[in-house]
Amino acid sequence: MADRLTQLQDCLDQLATQFYASLRYLSTHHSSSSTLPPSPYAVPFPATDSNPHQRPDTPTTFAAAQRELATDLVEKVQEIEYLTGTLPGLDKSEESQVGRIRELEQELRRVEKERKAAVGEREECLGVLEEVIGRVGRVKD
């Protein structure tokens, strides 16, 4: 499973995609009726029904789709808020985080010394093993 920052980035990308898809749906499936009464000062424009991509839905279908799109957006935002809340260090001060980093650095140095000692021990054992194998080979000859 991906780390939290990757999950958060994926969610933000998905949210942007959902915003685009929602706006695209709303712009292509709305009815062309005006929401405001006509103004006596309005300049008449040619009809805009020439858009071949516009496929208006029935008002009930359009309203249901709007609710579904809004619900999807809200759920994605809640997921982003949850992931943001689970990021480490949000509830700790800068000093405590710096202290934790120092502790981890000391632990890393200690473990590195242990690793180097283990590598040295392995080299010693390998040398002893080669010696034993060499003796066994000479005994057989």
Side-chain angles (χ1 to χ4, degrees), residues 7-42:
Q7 288 175 330
L8 184 59
Q9 182 62 50
D10 290 345
C11 281
L12 289 170
D13 292 344
Q14 291 166 359
L15 181 64
T17 301
Q18 284 179 319
F19 275 133
Y20 174 78
S22 297
L23 290 172
R24 175 90 174 140
Y25 174 83
L26 294 173
S27 67
T28 58
H29 290 84
H30 70 86
S31 66
S32 296
S33 63
S34 176
T35 57
L36 298 174
S39 169
Y41 306 108

Side-chain angles (χ1 to χ4, degrees), residues 7-8 76-87:
Q7 288 175 330
L8 184 59
K76 188 55 69 176
V77 168
Q78 288 173 343
E79 186 178 349
I80 289 170
E81 287 176 355
Y82 170 77
L83 288 170
T84 303
T86 62
L87 290 174

Side-chain angles (χ1 to χ4, degrees), residues 115-135:
R115 187 191 69 80
K116 286 181 180 179
V119 167
E121 186 179 332
R122 184 194 69 177
E123 294 296 323
E124 256 181 61
C125 291
L126 187 59
V128 170
L129 183 61
E130 286 175 351
E131 234 179 84
V132 170
I133 291 173
R135 278 191 240 145

Side-chain angles (χ1 to χ4, degrees), residues 87-103:
L87 290 174
L90 292 179
D91 57 343
K92 297 179 182 172
S93 68
E94 184 178 348
E95 295 84 23
S96 68
Q97 291 180 28
V98 169
R100 177 70 177 141
I101 289 172
R102 287 192 182 120
E103 289 172 12

